[in-house]
Amino acid sequence: MIKKCFYTFCISLALLLFFTNTNAQQKINPDSIRSKMQWFADAKLGIFIHWGMYSVNGVDESWSFYNKKISYADYIKQMKGFTASKYDPQAWAGLIKETGARYAVITTKHHDGMALWPTKQKHLSVVNNTPAKRDVLGPFYKALDEQGIKRGAYFSLLDWSHPDYPGFMKDTNRYKIAEQPERWKRFQHFFQSQINEINTAYKPDLWWFDGDWEKSADEWQSADVRKQILAIQPDAIINGRLQGYGDYETPEQNFPVSKPKYNWWELCMTTNNNWGYHPDDTAYKTPFEIITIFVDAVSNGGNLLLDIGPKADGTIPEEQVHILKELGKWNKKNGEAIFNTLAGLPQGHFYGPTTITKDSTTLYLFLPAQTAGNVMVKGLVNDIRDIQVLGTSIHLQHKVVGKISWSPVPGLVFINVPENVRDEYMTVLKLTLDKPVKLYRGQGGLN
């Protein structure tokens, strides 16, 4: 039998894995990292926003011209249609707040190079190259502040439109850095300057880098990027796409089958099959599917960063609004089992997701919407003081089966769940224990 205080164990394991996976050049105080990452670990839900010129024609963001689905010239022409005429940052922030999300990440600049803020660099921007003619980033961050939501900044390190980036579009852009180091130095100065602009003007709580796969940490000056950010915003956290200089990992679209071994992690996921606005993509996930994915991530110690793609005028597709509102409705009822919790029981103890409070005295069991009848918990040594259907005043009884008085092996806990208590999407049972959770991890018999 093993008695565990899950909070202490999980924090210690997280720190161990962090130092195992983090670039050895970084000298980071463990207490500082633990404190800085706590809000992220507690947040569980963020909203991702892909918004840019690609929303005009509803094509793939940047990749559409990279993959030759559209010519670069036709792609860039979309800037003429980016109006943001119905853009309401307060409404965006209000909808995000309604979901229960604690942070939001917006594409300040994608691989196509168009900045959503008034960059001082001589390059593409929403201010100088679109009918919107204004900063759309600042008002959004201000609206997030008013709702108490953390600011997140997506930033593409690579820039397929910049003349000094060794890209693919023209022969003049294809060069080897070793042969033209001055050109690469100019590009380094460019992207470092843009990062500094965002960091100074908006002070994001979270940086979500992308595009690092094309160059090395030295070429991206990753150590300097991290140092530059933290010099202005010491508590900022950085995702893992900075060639080894980030704080957490970001698996994309496909959920890990087994629990990730990352220190802190976040699953980024679309609401349909595309990141940006795509009117031809009607394969929207249902609220049940989103909630199931969300709970699975949280029960494995991760977050969900759920994406939406507004239209060029700034309105959010109705299907995405519906998904966010339904998620918010479920979180309002069941959020106690989600936010500020820890990953739950190891596999094999319950056939479904679980979470646990930081003091390990309350266990939450997540049941798919149609689950009724008996559910079973194995290896729970604790006495159960109470079982409540979360979000209701209904309390359930349980039965212990197979417990032998002289054996240390606990019995099986069966809980009968009536059909009339089921949640529309996923029912949550709250188990109040007699003391911090204690689990039997043996093989049976007299073990």
Side-chain angles (χ1 to χ4, degrees), residues 299-408:
S299 70
N300 281 288
N303 292 5
L304 175 66
L305 184 62
L306 182 63
D307 180 73
I308 58 173
K311 300 177 184 179
D313 64 2
T315 57
I316 300 172
E318 292 181 3
E319 297 89 343
Q320 294 179 342
V321 172
H322 172 70
I323 290 171
L324 296 187
K325 284 183 173 291
E326 290 300 292
L327 175 58
K329 182 177 71 174
W330 186 86
N331 275 332
K332 187 175 182 180
K333 177 182 177 183
N334 299 289
E336 175 188 326
I338 293 290
F339 304 106
N340 304 303
T341 62
L342 299 174
L345 303 178
Q347 291 185 0
H349 288 276
F350 179 70
Y351 299 128
T354 64
T355 59
I356 196 163
T357 53
K358 290 177 181 178
D359 66 1
S360 301
T361 61
T362 304
L363 174 65
Y364 300 97
L365 311 180
F366 296 84
L367 317 177
Q370 300 306 311
T371 297
N374 280 312
V375 298
M376 180 180 69
V377 181
K378 295 190 293 183
L380 183 64
V381 176
N382 299 76
D383 291 332
I384 299 173
R385 290 181 173 175
D386 183 61
I387 301 174
Q388 181 183 5
V389 180
L390 203 59
T392 76
S393 59
I394 299 171
H395 295 260
L396 305 178
Q397 300 298 315
H398 70 283
K399 179 182 180 182
V400 178
V401 174
K403 171 60 181 166
I404 301 174
S405 60
W406 47 263
S407 171

Side-chain angles (χ1 to χ4, degrees), residues 204-443:
D205 301 290
L206 181 151
W207 282 84
W208 214 99
F209 287 108
D210 202 9
D212 69 330
W213 65 85
E214 289 200 354
K215 305 297 173 189
S216 68
D218 287 341
E219 289 168 331
W220 288 129
Q221 300 176 318
S222 296
D224 288 341
V225 168
R226 182 181 180 92
K227 183 179 179 181
Q228 172 183 309
I229 288 171
L230 298 183
I232 294 175
Q233 188 76 337
D235 291 332
I237 64 175
I238 300 170
N239 77 332
R241 302 188 185 191
L242 194 59
Q243 290 290 9
Y245 284 82
D247 299 315
Y248 69 96
E249 296 297 327
T250 57
E252 184 171 324
Q253 294 286 52
N254 297 311
F255 188 86
V257 175
S258 59
K259 183 177 180 178
K261 296 180 180 179
Y262 309 135
N263 41 318
W264 291 276
W265 68 278
E266 162 198 82
L267 172 65
C268 53
M269 175 73 71
T270 54
T271 46
N272 51 7
N273 291 329
N274 286 275
W275 297 103
Y277 174 61
H278 242 278
D280 58 329
D281 182 359
T282 59
Y284 284 98
K285 299 174 181 66
T286 66
F288 170 74
E289 291 164 349
I290 292 293
I291 290 168
T292 300
I293 293 167
F294 176 41
V295 168
D296 220 14
V298 173
S299 70
N300 281 288
N303 292 5
L304 175 66
L305 184 62
L306 182 63
D307 180 73
I308 58 173
K311 300 177 184 179
D313 64 2
T315 57
I316 300 172
E318 292 181 3
E319 297 89 343
Q320 294 179 342
V321 172
H322 172 70
I323 290 171
L324 296 187
K325 284 183 173 291
E326 290 300 292
L327 175 58
K329 182 177 71 174
W330 186 86
N331 275 332
K332 187 175 182 180
K333 177 182 177 183
N334 299 289
E336 175 188 326
I338 293 290
F339 304 106
N340 304 303
T341 62
L342 299 174
L345 303 178
Q347 291 185 0
H349 288 276
F350 179 70
Y351 299 128
T354 64
T355 59
I356 196 163
T357 53
K358 290 177 181 178
D359 66 1
S360 301
T361 61
T362 304
L363 174 65
Y364 300 97
L365 311 180
F366 296 84
L367 317 177
Q370 300 306 311
T371 297
N374 280 312
V375 298
M376 180 180 69
V377 181
K378 295 190 293 183
L380 183 64
V381 176
N382 299 76
D383 291 332
I384 299 173
R385 290 181 173 175
D386 183 61
I387 301 174
Q388 181 183 5
V389 180
L390 203 59
T392 76
S393 59
I394 299 171
H395 295 260
L396 305 178
Q397 300 298 315
H398 70 283
K399 179 182 180 182
V400 178
V401 174
K403 171 60 181 166
I404 301 174
S405 60
W406 47 263
S407 171
V409 182
L412 305 174
V413 176
F414 283 90
I415 306 167
N416 188 269
V417 182
E419 291 187 6
N420 64 353
V421 306
R422 294 181 298 183
D423 181 84
E424 179 182 3
Y425 298 122
M426 183 172 284
T427 308
V428 183
L429 302 185
K430 176 182 178 180
L431 276 62
T432 303
L433 309 178
D434 59 336
K435 54 189 174 182
V437 67
K438 186 176 181 180
L439 299 176
Y440 173 78
R441 301 285 285 166
Q443 269 76 79

Side-chain angles (χ1 to χ4, degrees), residues 110 116 145 310 349:
H110 208 268
L116 294 190
D145 289 346
H349 288 276

